[in-house]
Amino acid sequence: QVQLVESGGGLVQAGGSLRLSCATSGSVFSFNTMAWYRQAPGKQREPVATITSDGYRNYADSGKGRFTISRDIAKNTLYLQMNSLKPEDTAVYYCNAWIATSRSRYWGQGTQVTVSS
């Protein structure tokens, strides 16, 4: 059973930075795609950043130039570095992993990010 465990959320002032981590129970190469999503109160869950197994990265417009998705293969961990945070970045952030062969999608439990103005 695949497990994804996020950490690193918290309360930060606008303009500050946070780095989210997602520890996986297996190799990050076992997933075709890994991603960060977020869900703000009263809103739908939305993608923030994606990285494929061959390292291709894609970002939602909301995070371009501010957020960086990366992975540490040795530590089986996915990261999201968030800089210049804004109050509208406040949300629960979720780690997501996709395996194409089994069409399996996995989610972490989420980590709360709150940005104060």
PDB file of all heavy atoms in Angstrom, residues 4-13 16-23 36-37 67 77-83 85 89-95 108-115:
ATOM      1  N   LEU A   4       1.641   8.325   1.460  1.00  0.00           N
ATOM      2  CA  LEU A   4       2.215   9.647   1.246  1.00  0.00           C
ATOM      3  C   LEU A   4       1.979  10.450   2.518  1.00  0.00           C
ATOM      4  O   LEU A   4       0.831  10.551   2.976  1.00  0.00           O
ATOM      5  CB  LEU A   4       1.547  10.349   0.067  1.00  0.00           C
ATOM      6  CG  LEU A   4       1.523   9.591  -1.266  1.00  0.00           C
ATOM      7  CD1 LEU A   4       0.704  10.366  -2.295  1.00  0.00           C
ATOM      8  CD2 LEU A   4       2.927   9.348  -1.780  1.00  0.00           C
ATOM      9  N   VAL A   5       3.028  11.031   3.073  1.00  0.00           N
ATOM     10  CA  VAL A   5       2.909  11.766   4.325  1.00  0.00           C
ATOM     11  C   VAL A   5       3.500  13.159   4.134  1.00  0.00           C
ATOM     12  O   VAL A   5       4.710  13.314   3.955  1.00  0.00           O
ATOM     13  CB  VAL A   5       3.617  11.035   5.473  1.00  0.00           C
ATOM     14  CG1 VAL A   5       3.461  11.834   6.761  1.00  0.00           C
ATOM     15  CG2 VAL A   5       3.064   9.627   5.644  1.00  0.00           C
ATOM     16  N   GLU A   6       2.613  14.170   4.199  1.00  0.00           N
ATOM     17  CA  GLU A   6       3.059  15.558   4.036  1.00  0.00           C
ATOM     18  C   GLU A   6       3.482  16.148   5.376  1.00  0.00           C
ATOM     19  O   GLU A   6       3.006  15.732   6.441  1.00  0.00           O
ATOM     20  CB  GLU A   6       1.937  16.435   3.467  1.00  0.00           C
ATOM     21  CG  GLU A   6       1.397  16.012   2.126  1.00  0.00           C
ATOM     22  CD  GLU A   6       0.105  15.251   2.236  1.00  0.00           C
ATOM     23  OE1 GLU A   6      -0.104  14.597   3.287  1.00  0.00           O
ATOM     24  OE2 GLU A   6      -0.714  15.308   1.300  1.00  0.00           O
ATOM     25  N   SER A   7       4.347  17.130   5.293  1.00  0.00           N
ATOM     26  CA  SER A   7       4.756  17.904   6.458  1.00  0.00           C
ATOM     27  C   SER A   7       5.267  19.260   5.975  1.00  0.00           C
ATOM     28  O   SER A   7       5.462  19.461   4.768  1.00  0.00           O
ATOM     29  CB  SER A   7       5.839  17.175   7.253  1.00  0.00           C
ATOM     30  OG  SER A   7       6.990  16.975   6.453  1.00  0.00           O
ATOM     31  N   GLY A   8       5.451  20.162   6.919  1.00  0.00           N
ATOM     32  CA  GLY A   8       6.041  21.446   6.583  1.00  0.00           C
ATOM     33  C   GLY A   8       5.083  22.613   6.527  1.00  0.00           C
ATOM     34  O   GLY A   8       5.505  23.756   6.336  1.00  0.00           O
ATOM     35  N   GLY A   9       3.797  22.354   6.667  1.00  0.00           N
ATOM     36  CA  GLY A   9       2.851  23.460   6.673  1.00  0.00           C
ATOM     37  C   GLY A   9       2.957  24.279   7.941  1.00  0.00           C
ATOM     38  O   GLY A   9       3.673  23.921   8.878  1.00  0.00           O
ATOM     39  N   GLY A  10       2.227  25.380   7.957  1.00  0.00           N
ATOM     40  CA  GLY A  10       2.243  26.230   9.138  1.00  0.00           C
ATOM     41  C   GLY A  10       1.705  27.596   8.848  1.00  0.00           C
ATOM     42  O   GLY A  10       1.091  27.832   7.800  1.00  0.00           O
ATOM     43  N   LEU A  11       1.935  28.494   9.802  1.00  0.00           N
ATOM     44  CA  LEU A  11       1.490  29.879   9.692  1.00  0.00           C
ATOM     45  C   LEU A  11       2.689  30.748   9.321  1.00  0.00           C
ATOM     46  O   LEU A  11       3.736  30.673   9.979  1.00  0.00           O
ATOM     47  CB  LEU A  11       0.886  30.335  11.014  1.00  0.00           C
ATOM     48  CG  LEU A  11       0.498  31.807  11.122  1.00  0.00           C
ATOM     49  CD1 LEU A  11      -0.605  32.147  10.138  1.00  0.00           C
ATOM     50  CD2 LEU A  11       0.062  32.129  12.559  1.00  0.00           C
ATOM     51  N   VAL A  12       2.518  31.562   8.297  1.00  0.00           N
ATOM     52  CA  VAL A  12       3.600  32.432   7.848  1.00  0.00           C
ATOM     53  C   VAL A  12       3.006  33.767   7.420  1.00  0.00           C
ATOM     54  O   VAL A  12       1.850  33.826   6.983  1.00  0.00           O
ATOM     55  CB  VAL A  12       4.380  31.765   6.691  1.00  0.00           C
ATOM     56  CG1 VAL A  12       3.501  31.563   5.477  1.00  0.00           C
ATOM     57  CG2 VAL A  12       5.633  32.545   6.330  1.00  0.00           C
ATOM     58  N   GLN A  13       3.771  34.817   7.550  1.00  0.00           N
ATOM     59  CA  GLN A  13       3.314  36.130   7.104  1.00  0.00           C
ATOM     60  C   GLN A  13       3.451  36.262   5.591  1.00  0.00           C
ATOM     61  O   GLN A  13       4.292  35.588   4.972  1.00  0.00           O
ATOM     62  CB  GLN A  13       4.116  37.225   7.794  1.00  0.00           C
ATOM     63  CG  GLN A  13       3.809  37.387   9.272  1.00  0.00           C
ATOM     64  CD  GLN A  13       4.480  38.613   9.861  1.00  0.00           C
ATOM     65  OE1 GLN A  13       5.514  39.056   9.374  1.00  0.00           O
ATOM     66  NE2 GLN A  13       3.893  39.157  10.914  1.00  0.00           N
ATOM     67  N   GLY A  16       6.560  35.608   3.100  1.00  0.00           N
ATOM     68  CA  GLY A  16       7.430  34.588   3.659  1.00  0.00           C
ATOM     69  C   GLY A  16       7.511  33.343   2.794  1.00  0.00           C
ATOM     70  O   GLY A  16       6.942  33.283   1.697  1.00  0.00           O
ATOM     71  N   SER A  17       8.211  32.348   3.320  1.00  0.00           N
ATOM     72  CA  SER A  17       8.443  31.110   2.575  1.00  0.00           C
ATOM     73  C   SER A  17       8.144  29.887   3.438  1.00  0.00           C
ATOM     74  O   SER A  17       8.257  29.954   4.677  1.00  0.00           O
ATOM     75  CB  SER A  17       9.903  31.036   2.111  1.00  0.00           C
ATOM     76  OG  SER A  17      10.219  32.092   1.231  1.00  0.00           O
ATOM     77  N   LEU A  18       7.795  28.818   2.773  1.00  0.00           N
ATOM     78  CA  LEU A  18       7.630  27.522   3.418  1.00  0.00           C
ATOM     79  C   LEU A  18       8.096  26.454   2.433  1.00  0.00           C
ATOM     80  O   LEU A  18       7.989  26.627   1.216  1.00  0.00           O
ATOM     81  CB  LEU A  18       6.166  27.242   3.773  1.00  0.00           C
ATOM     82  CG  LEU A  18       5.557  27.909   5.000  1.00  0.00           C
ATOM     83  CD1 LEU A  18       4.069  27.596   5.070  1.00  0.00           C
ATOM     84  CD2 LEU A  18       6.263  27.464   6.278  1.00  0.00           C
ATOM     85  N   ARG A  19       8.574  25.353   2.989  1.00  0.00           N
ATOM     86  CA  ARG A  19       8.887  24.199   2.147  1.00  0.00           C
ATOM     87  C   ARG A  19       8.075  23.010   2.643  1.00  0.00           C
ATOM     88  O   ARG A  19       8.233  22.580   3.788  1.00  0.00           O
ATOM     89  CB  ARG A  19      10.370  23.857   2.159  1.00  0.00           C
ATOM     90  CG  ARG A  19      10.705  22.777   1.130  1.00  0.00           C
ATOM     91  CD  ARG A  19      12.179  22.439   1.057  1.00  0.00           C
ATOM     92  NE  ARG A  19      12.603  21.582   2.141  1.00  0.00           N
ATOM     93  CZ  ARG A  19      13.699  20.813   2.093  1.00  0.00           C
ATOM     94  NH1 ARG A  19      14.460  20.821   0.998  1.00  0.00           N
ATOM     95  NH2 ARG A  19      14.034  20.082   3.137  1.00  0.00           N
ATOM     96  N   LEU A  20       7.228  22.507   1.775  1.00  0.00           N
ATOM     97  CA  LEU A  20       6.437  21.330   2.094  1.00  0.00           C
ATOM     98  C   LEU A  20       7.194  20.081   1.656  1.00  0.00           C
ATOM     99  O   LEU A  20       7.895  20.085   0.643  1.00  0.00           O
ATOM    100  CB  LEU A  20       5.094  21.376   1.384  1.00  0.00           C
ATOM    101  CG  LEU A  20       4.247  22.629   1.611  1.00  0.00           C
ATOM    102  CD1 LEU A  20       2.907  22.483   0.896  1.00  0.00           C
ATOM    103  CD2 LEU A  20       4.056  22.909   3.085  1.00  0.00           C
ATOM    104  N   SER A  21       7.022  19.023   2.424  1.00  0.00           N
ATOM    105  CA  SER A  21       7.643  17.739   2.098  1.00  0.00           C
ATOM    106  C   SER A  21       6.570  16.665   2.012  1.00  0.00           C
ATOM    107  O   SER A  21       5.566  16.722   2.719  1.00  0.00           O
ATOM    108  CB  SER A  21       8.665  17.343   3.170  1.00  0.00           C
ATOM    109  OG  SER A  21       9.704  18.292   3.270  1.00  0.00           O
ATOM    110  N   CYS A  22       6.811  15.695   1.169  1.00  0.00           N
ATOM    111  CA  CYS A  22       5.916  14.541   1.031  1.00  0.00           C
ATOM    112  C   CYS A  22       6.783  13.291   0.990  1.00  0.00           C
ATOM    113  O   CYS A  22       7.449  13.024  -0.025  1.00  0.00           O
ATOM    114  CB  CYS A  22       5.069  14.658  -0.227  1.00  0.00           C
ATOM    115  SG  CYS A  22       4.099  13.174  -0.607  1.00  0.00           S
ATOM    116  N   ALA A  23       6.786  12.561   2.082  1.00  0.00           N
ATOM    117  CA  ALA A  23       7.557  11.325   2.158  1.00  0.00           C
ATOM    118  C   ALA A  23       6.722  10.180   1.602  1.00  0.00           C
ATOM    119  O   ALA A  23       5.558  10.020   1.978  1.00  0.00           O
ATOM    120  CB  ALA A  23       7.963  11.050   3.590  1.00  0.00           C
ATOM    121  N   TRP A  36       1.506  18.402  -6.339  1.00  0.00           N
ATOM    122  CA  TRP A  36       0.930  19.089  -5.187  1.00  0.00           C
ATOM    123  C   TRP A  36      -0.391  19.710  -5.626  1.00  0.00           C
ATOM    124  O   TRP A  36      -0.458  20.356  -6.683  1.00  0.00           O
ATOM    125  CB  TRP A  36       1.864  20.166  -4.667  1.00  0.00           C
ATOM    126  CG  TRP A  36       3.068  19.629  -3.968  1.00  0.00           C
ATOM    127  CD1 TRP A  36       4.312  19.440  -4.495  1.00  0.00           C
ATOM    128  CD2 TRP A  36       3.140  19.204  -2.604  1.00  0.00           C
ATOM    129  NE1 TRP A  36       5.160  18.915  -3.545  1.00  0.00           N
ATOM    130  CE2 TRP A  36       4.457  18.759  -2.376  1.00  0.00           C
ATOM    131  CE3 TRP A  36       2.229  19.146  -1.556  1.00  0.00           C
ATOM    132  CZ2 TRP A  36       4.883  18.282  -1.134  1.00  0.00           C
ATOM    133  CZ3 TRP A  36       2.649  18.667  -0.336  1.00  0.00           C
ATOM    134  CH2 TRP A  36       3.962  18.242  -0.123  1.00  0.00           C
ATOM    135  N   TYR A  37      -1.407  19.508  -4.801  1.00  0.00           N
ATOM    136  CA  TYR A  37      -2.704  20.138  -4.978  1.00  0.00           C
ATOM    137  C   TYR A  37      -2.977  20.975  -3.730  1.00  0.00           C
ATOM    138  O   TYR A  37      -2.354  20.784  -2.687  1.00  0.00           O
ATOM    139  CB  TYR A  37      -3.813  19.084  -5.120  1.00  0.00           C
ATOM    140  CG  TYR A  37      -3.906  18.418  -6.467  1.00  0.00           C
ATOM    141  CD1 TYR A  37      -2.923  17.539  -6.908  1.00  0.00           C
ATOM    142  CD2 TYR A  37      -5.001  18.649  -7.300  1.00  0.00           C
ATOM    143  CE1 TYR A  37      -3.019  16.914  -8.139  1.00  0.00           C
ATOM    144  CE2 TYR A  37      -5.115  18.025  -8.534  1.00  0.00           C
ATOM    145  CZ  TYR A  37      -4.118  17.153  -8.941  1.00  0.00           C
ATOM    146  OH  TYR A  37      -4.223  16.537 -10.162  1.00  0.00           O
ATOM    147  N   PHE A  67       6.717  29.215  -6.801  1.00  0.00           N
ATOM    148  CA  PHE A  67       6.770  27.846  -6.268  1.00  0.00           C
ATOM    149  C   PHE A  67       7.722  26.995  -7.104  1.00  0.00           C
ATOM    150  O   PHE A  67       7.823  27.168  -8.319  1.00  0.00           O
ATOM    151  CB  PHE A  67       5.389  27.198  -6.313  1.00  0.00           C
ATOM    152  CG  PHE A  67       4.367  27.835  -5.406  1.00  0.00           C
ATOM    153  CD1 PHE A  67       3.049  27.390  -5.434  1.00  0.00           C
ATOM    154  CD2 PHE A  67       4.683  28.870  -4.549  1.00  0.00           C
ATOM    155  CE1 PHE A  67       2.091  27.952  -4.619  1.00  0.00           C
ATOM    156  CE2 PHE A  67       3.738  29.444  -3.716  1.00  0.00           C
ATOM    157  CZ  PHE A  67       2.430  28.980  -3.761  1.00  0.00           C
ATOM    158  N   THR A  77      11.334  11.499  -1.412  1.00  0.00           N
ATOM    159  CA  THR A  77      10.563  12.631  -0.913  1.00  0.00           C
ATOM    160  C   THR A  77      10.327  13.653  -2.017  1.00  0.00           C
ATOM    161  O   THR A  77      11.230  13.954  -2.795  1.00  0.00           O
ATOM    162  CB  THR A  77      11.287  13.293   0.269  1.00  0.00           C
ATOM    163  OG1 THR A  77      11.463  12.320   1.310  1.00  0.00           O
ATOM    164  CG2 THR A  77      10.491  14.463   0.820  1.00  0.00           C
ATOM    165  N   LEU A  78       9.122  14.170  -2.030  1.00  0.00           N
ATOM    166  CA  LEU A  78       8.711  15.243  -2.935  1.00  0.00           C
ATOM    167  C   LEU A  78       8.657  16.532  -2.128  1.00  0.00           C
ATOM    168  O   LEU A  78       8.248  16.510  -0.961  1.00  0.00           O
ATOM    169  CB  LEU A  78       7.349  14.932  -3.524  1.00  0.00           C
ATOM    170  CG  LEU A  78       6.750  15.942  -4.500  1.00  0.00           C
ATOM    171  CD1 LEU A  78       7.473  15.875  -5.841  1.00  0.00           C
ATOM    172  CD2 LEU A  78       5.259  15.686  -4.674  1.00  0.00           C
ATOM    173  N   TYR A  79       9.051  17.643  -2.754  1.00  0.00           N
ATOM    174  CA  TYR A  79       9.046  18.925  -2.068  1.00  0.00           C
ATOM    175  C   TYR A  79       8.260  19.965  -2.857  1.00  0.00           C
ATOM    176  O   TYR A  79       8.099  19.866  -4.071  1.00  0.00           O
ATOM    177  CB  TYR A  79      10.475  19.452  -1.895  1.00  0.00           C
ATOM    178  CG  TYR A  79      11.368  18.558  -1.081  1.00  0.00           C
ATOM    179  CD1 TYR A  79      12.302  17.732  -1.694  1.00  0.00           C
ATOM    180  CD2 TYR A  79      11.283  18.534   0.312  1.00  0.00           C
ATOM    181  CE1 TYR A  79      13.133  16.904  -0.955  1.00  0.00           C
ATOM    182  CE2 TYR A  79      12.114  17.714   1.055  1.00  0.00           C
ATOM    183  CZ  TYR A  79      13.036  16.898   0.416  1.00  0.00           C
ATOM    184  OH  TYR A  79      13.846  16.079   1.159  1.00  0.00           O
ATOM    185  N   LEU A  80       7.813  20.981  -2.130  1.00  0.00           N
ATOM    186  CA  LEU A  80       7.266  22.174  -2.762  1.00  0.00           C
ATOM    187  C   LEU A  80       7.834  23.369  -2.007  1.00  0.00           C
ATOM    188  O   LEU A  80       7.475  23.595  -0.848  1.00  0.00           O
ATOM    189  CB  LEU A  80       5.745  22.199  -2.732  1.00  0.00           C
ATOM    190  CG  LEU A  80       5.120  23.394  -3.453  1.00  0.00           C
ATOM    191  CD1 LEU A  80       5.360  23.303  -4.967  1.00  0.00           C
ATOM    192  CD2 LEU A  80       3.617  23.501  -3.170  1.00  0.00           C
ATOM    193  N   GLN A  81       8.728  24.073  -2.649  1.00  0.00           N
ATOM    194  CA  GLN A  81       9.255  25.301  -2.076  1.00  0.00           C
ATOM    195  C   GLN A  81       8.351  26.445  -2.487  1.00  0.00           C
ATOM    196  O   GLN A  81       8.119  26.660  -3.678  1.00  0.00           O
ATOM    197  CB  GLN A  81      10.687  25.555  -2.579  1.00  0.00           C
ATOM    198  CG  GLN A  81      11.300  26.850  -2.100  1.00  0.00           C
ATOM    199  CD  GLN A  81      11.580  26.852  -0.610  1.00  0.00           C
ATOM    200  OE1 GLN A  81      12.082  25.877  -0.059  1.00  0.00           O
ATOM    201  NE2 GLN A  81      11.249  27.942   0.061  1.00  0.00           N
ATOM    202  N   MET A  82       7.837  27.159  -1.506  1.00  0.00           N
ATOM    203  CA  MET A  82       6.906  28.252  -1.764  1.00  0.00           C
ATOM    204  C   MET A  82       7.505  29.546  -1.239  1.00  0.00           C
ATOM    205  O   MET A  82       7.774  29.667  -0.041  1.00  0.00           O
ATOM    206  CB  MET A  82       5.566  27.972  -1.102  1.00  0.00           C
ATOM    207  CG  MET A  82       4.927  26.658  -1.526  1.00  0.00           C
ATOM    208  SD  MET A  82       3.255  26.436  -0.890  1.00  0.00           S
ATOM    209  CE  MET A  82       3.589  26.328   0.865  1.00  0.00           C
ATOM    210  N   ASN A  83       7.731  30.489  -2.125  1.00  0.00           N
ATOM    211  CA  ASN A  83       8.278  31.791  -1.769  1.00  0.00           C
ATOM    212  C   ASN A  83       7.261  32.883  -2.049  1.00  0.00           C
ATOM    213  O   ASN A  83       6.284  32.672  -2.770  1.00  0.00           O
ATOM    214  CB  ASN A  83       9.556  32.058  -2.565  1.00  0.00           C
ATOM    215  CG  ASN A  83      10.644  31.039  -2.312  1.00  0.00           C
ATOM    216  OD1 ASN A  83      10.772  30.523  -1.194  1.00  0.00           O
ATOM    217  ND2 ASN A  83      11.434  30.735  -3.323  1.00  0.00           N
ATOM    218  N   LEU A  85       4.903  34.184  -0.391  1.00  0.00           N
ATOM    219  CA  LEU A  85       3.546  33.697  -0.130  1.00  0.00           C
ATOM    220  C   LEU A  85       2.562  34.836   0.031  1.00  0.00           C
ATOM    221  O   LEU A  85       2.899  35.915   0.554  1.00  0.00           O
ATOM    222  CB  LEU A  85       3.549  32.791   1.091  1.00  0.00           C
ATOM    223  CG  LEU A  85       4.093  31.375   0.821  1.00  0.00           C
ATOM    224  CD1 LEU A  85       4.468  30.690   2.133  1.00  0.00           C
ATOM    225  CD2 LEU A  85       3.066  30.554   0.062  1.00  0.00           C
ATOM    226  N   ASP A  89      -2.814  32.105  -0.896  1.00  0.00           N
ATOM    227  CA  ASP A  89      -2.198  30.774  -0.926  1.00  0.00           C
ATOM    228  C   ASP A  89      -2.656  29.912   0.251  1.00  0.00           C
ATOM    229  O   ASP A  89      -2.313  28.716   0.315  1.00  0.00           O
ATOM    230  CB  ASP A  89      -0.672  30.886  -0.892  1.00  0.00           C
ATOM    231  CG  ASP A  89      -0.100  31.530  -2.144  1.00  0.00           C
ATOM    232  OD1 ASP A  89      -0.581  31.217  -3.249  1.00  0.00           O
ATOM    233  OD2 ASP A  89       0.836  32.352  -2.006  1.00  0.00           O
ATOM    234  N   THR A  90      -3.414  30.497   1.155  1.00  0.00           N
ATOM    235  CA  THR A  90      -3.909  29.755   2.312  1.00  0.00           C
ATOM    236  C   THR A  90      -4.803  28.610   1.853  1.00  0.00           C
ATOM    237  O   THR A  90      -5.762  28.819   1.107  1.00  0.00           O
ATOM    238  CB  THR A  90      -4.691  30.688   3.246  1.00  0.00           C
ATOM    239  OG1 THR A  90      -3.784  31.660   3.787  1.00  0.00           O
ATOM    240  CG2 THR A  90      -5.340  29.897   4.375  1.00  0.00           C
ATOM    241  N   ALA A  91      -4.460  27.401   2.288  1.00  0.00           N
ATOM    242  CA  ALA A  91      -5.190  26.207   1.863  1.00  0.00           C
ATOM    243  C   ALA A  91      -4.583  24.993   2.550  1.00  0.00           C
ATOM    244  O   ALA A  91      -3.519  25.087   3.179  1.00  0.00           O
ATOM    245  CB  ALA A  91      -5.094  26.027   0.347  1.00  0.00           C
ATOM    246  N   VAL A  92      -5.271  23.878   2.406  1.00  0.00           N
ATOM    247  CA  VAL A  92      -4.669  22.599   2.755  1.00  0.00           C
ATOM    248  C   VAL A  92      -3.969  22.081   1.503  1.00  0.00           C
ATOM    249  O   VAL A  92      -4.580  22.024   0.433  1.00  0.00           O
ATOM    250  CB  VAL A  92      -5.719  21.584   3.242  1.00  0.00           C
ATOM    251  CG1 VAL A  92      -5.047  20.236   3.542  1.00  0.00           C
ATOM    252  CG2 VAL A  92      -6.437  22.112   4.475  1.00  0.00           C
ATOM    253  N   TYR A  93      -2.701  21.731   1.649  1.00  0.00           N
ATOM    254  CA  TYR A  93      -1.912  21.265   0.518  1.00  0.00           C
ATOM    255  C   TYR A  93      -1.769  19.746   0.594  1.00  0.00           C
ATOM    256  O   TYR A  93      -1.428  19.198   1.643  1.00  0.00           O
ATOM    257  CB  TYR A  93      -0.537  21.936   0.526  1.00  0.00           C
ATOM    258  CG  TYR A  93      -0.603  23.363   0.043  1.00  0.00           C
ATOM    259  CD1 TYR A  93      -1.178  24.356   0.822  1.00  0.00           C
ATOM    260  CD2 TYR A  93      -0.095  23.720  -1.206  1.00  0.00           C
ATOM    261  CE1 TYR A  93      -1.269  25.670   0.375  1.00  0.00           C
ATOM    262  CE2 TYR A  93      -0.174  25.028  -1.662  1.00  0.00           C
ATOM    263  CZ  TYR A  93      -0.758  25.990  -0.870  1.00  0.00           C
ATOM    264  OH  TYR A  93      -0.839  27.293  -1.323  1.00  0.00           O
ATOM    265  N   TYR A  94      -2.030  19.109  -0.551  1.00  0.00           N
ATOM    266  CA  TYR A  94      -2.021  17.651  -0.626  1.00  0.00           C
ATOM    267  C   TYR A  94      -0.970  17.165  -1.613  1.00  0.00           C
ATOM    268  O   TYR A  94      -0.818  17.724  -2.699  1.00  0.00           O
ATOM    269  CB  TYR A  94      -3.380  17.134  -1.085  1.00  0.00           C
ATOM    270  CG  TYR A  94      -4.519  17.411  -0.154  1.00  0.00           C
ATOM    271  CD1 TYR A  94      -5.282  18.569  -0.270  1.00  0.00           C
ATOM    272  CD2 TYR A  94      -4.852  16.511   0.853  1.00  0.00           C
ATOM    273  CE1 TYR A  94      -6.334  18.833   0.579  1.00  0.00           C
ATOM    274  CE2 TYR A  94      -5.912  16.755   1.711  1.00  0.00           C
ATOM    275  CZ  TYR A  94      -6.650  17.912   1.566  1.00  0.00           C
ATOM    276  OH  TYR A  94      -7.690  18.154   2.423  1.00  0.00           O
ATOM    277  N   CYS A  95      -0.314  16.102  -1.237  1.00  0.00           N
ATOM    278  CA  CYS A  95       0.605  15.397  -2.125  1.00  0.00           C
ATOM    279  C   CYS A  95      -0.195  14.343  -2.900  1.00  0.00           C
ATOM    280  O   CYS A  95      -1.099  13.705  -2.344  1.00  0.00           O
ATOM    281  CB  CYS A  95       1.693  14.736  -1.287  1.00  0.00           C
ATOM    282  SG  CYS A  95       2.899  13.788  -2.217  1.00  0.00           S
ATOM    283  N   GLY A 108      -2.028  12.097   0.034  1.00  0.00           N
ATOM    284  CA  GLY A 108      -1.622  12.238   1.423  1.00  0.00           C
ATOM    285  C   GLY A 108      -2.768  12.817   2.221  1.00  0.00           C
ATOM    286  O   GLY A 108      -3.851  13.092   1.709  1.00  0.00           O
ATOM    287  N   GLN A 109      -2.500  13.028   3.518  1.00  0.00           N
ATOM    288  CA  GLN A 109      -3.567  13.502   4.412  1.00  0.00           C
ATOM    289  C   GLN A 109      -3.710  15.013   4.392  1.00  0.00           C
ATOM    290  O   GLN A 109      -4.700  15.549   4.893  1.00  0.00           O
ATOM    291  CB  GLN A 109      -3.289  13.023   5.849  1.00  0.00           C
ATOM    292  CG  GLN A 109      -2.295  13.883   6.639  1.00  0.00           C
ATOM    293  CD  GLN A 109      -0.852  13.721   6.184  1.00  0.00           C
ATOM    294  OE1 GLN A 109      -0.530  12.856   5.361  1.00  0.00           O
ATOM    295  NE2 GLN A 109       0.019  14.553   6.730  1.00  0.00           N
ATOM    296  N   GLY A 110      -2.734  15.693   3.808  1.00  0.00           N
ATOM    297  CA  GLY A 110      -2.786  17.147   3.706  1.00  0.00           C
ATOM    298  C   GLY A 110      -2.043  17.849   4.827  1.00  0.00           C
ATOM    299  O   GLY A 110      -1.914  17.322   5.932  1.00  0.00           O
ATOM    300  N   THR A 111      -1.562  19.038   4.507  1.00  0.00           N
ATOM    301  CA  THR A 111      -0.910  19.886   5.507  1.00  0.00           C
ATOM    302  C   THR A 111      -1.411  21.305   5.323  1.00  0.00           C
ATOM    303  O   THR A 111      -1.516  21.809   4.199  1.00  0.00           O
ATOM    304  CB  THR A 111       0.632  19.802   5.388  1.00  0.00           C
ATOM    305  OG1 THR A 111       1.237  20.539   6.454  1.00  0.00           O
ATOM    306  CG2 THR A 111       1.146  20.333   4.054  1.00  0.00           C
ATOM    307  N   GLN A 112      -1.753  21.952   6.424  1.00  0.00           N
ATOM    308  CA  GLN A 112      -2.363  23.280   6.382  1.00  0.00           C
ATOM    309  C   GLN A 112      -1.294  24.356   6.207  1.00  0.00           C
ATOM    310  O   GLN A 112      -0.300  24.385   6.932  1.00  0.00           O
ATOM    311  CB  GLN A 112      -3.147  23.552   7.666  1.00  0.00           C
ATOM    312  CG  GLN A 112      -3.740  24.948   7.761  1.00  0.00           C
ATOM    313  CD  GLN A 112      -4.896  25.157   6.807  1.00  0.00           C
ATOM    314  OE1 GLN A 112      -5.797  24.323   6.718  1.00  0.00           O
ATOM    315  NE2 GLN A 112      -4.886  26.277   6.084  1.00  0.00           N
ATOM    316  N   VAL A 113      -1.538  25.235   5.259  1.00  0.00           N
ATOM    317  CA  VAL A 113      -0.710  26.429   5.066  1.00  0.00           C
ATOM    318  C   VAL A 113      -1.601  27.643   5.256  1.00  0.00           C
ATOM    319  O   VAL A 113      -2.633  27.774   4.602  1.00  0.00           O
ATOM    320  CB  VAL A 113      -0.075  26.447   3.667  1.00  0.00           C
ATOM    321  CG1 VAL A 113       0.603  27.784   3.395  1.00  0.00           C
ATOM    322  CG2 VAL A 113       0.921  25.308   3.514  1.00  0.00           C
ATOM    323  N   THR A 114      -1.211  28.508   6.166  1.00  0.00           N
ATOM    324  CA  THR A 114      -1.964  29.730   6.432  1.00  0.00           C
ATOM    325  C   THR A 114      -1.030  30.913   6.275  1.00  0.00           C
ATOM    326  O   THR A 114       0.021  30.968   6.916  1.00  0.00           O
ATOM    327  CB  THR A 114      -2.564  29.719   7.834  1.00  0.00           C
ATOM    328  OG1 THR A 114      -3.403  28.559   7.990  1.00  0.00           O
ATOM    329  CG2 THR A 114      -3.401  30.972   8.076  1.00  0.00           C
ATOM    330  N   VAL A 115      -1.412  31.844   5.414  1.00  0.00           N
ATOM    331  CA  VAL A 115      -0.606  33.035   5.163  1.00  0.00           C
ATOM    332  C   VAL A 115      -1.373  34.248   5.678  1.00  0.00           C
ATOM    333  O   VAL A 115      -2.471  34.532   5.205  1.00  0.00           O
ATOM    334  CB  VAL A 115      -0.293  33.195   3.676  1.00  0.00           C
ATOM    335  CG1 VAL A 115       0.639  34.390   3.451  1.00  0.00           C
ATOM    336  CG2 VAL A 115       0.334  31.924   3.117  1.00  0.00           C
TER     337      VAL A 115
END
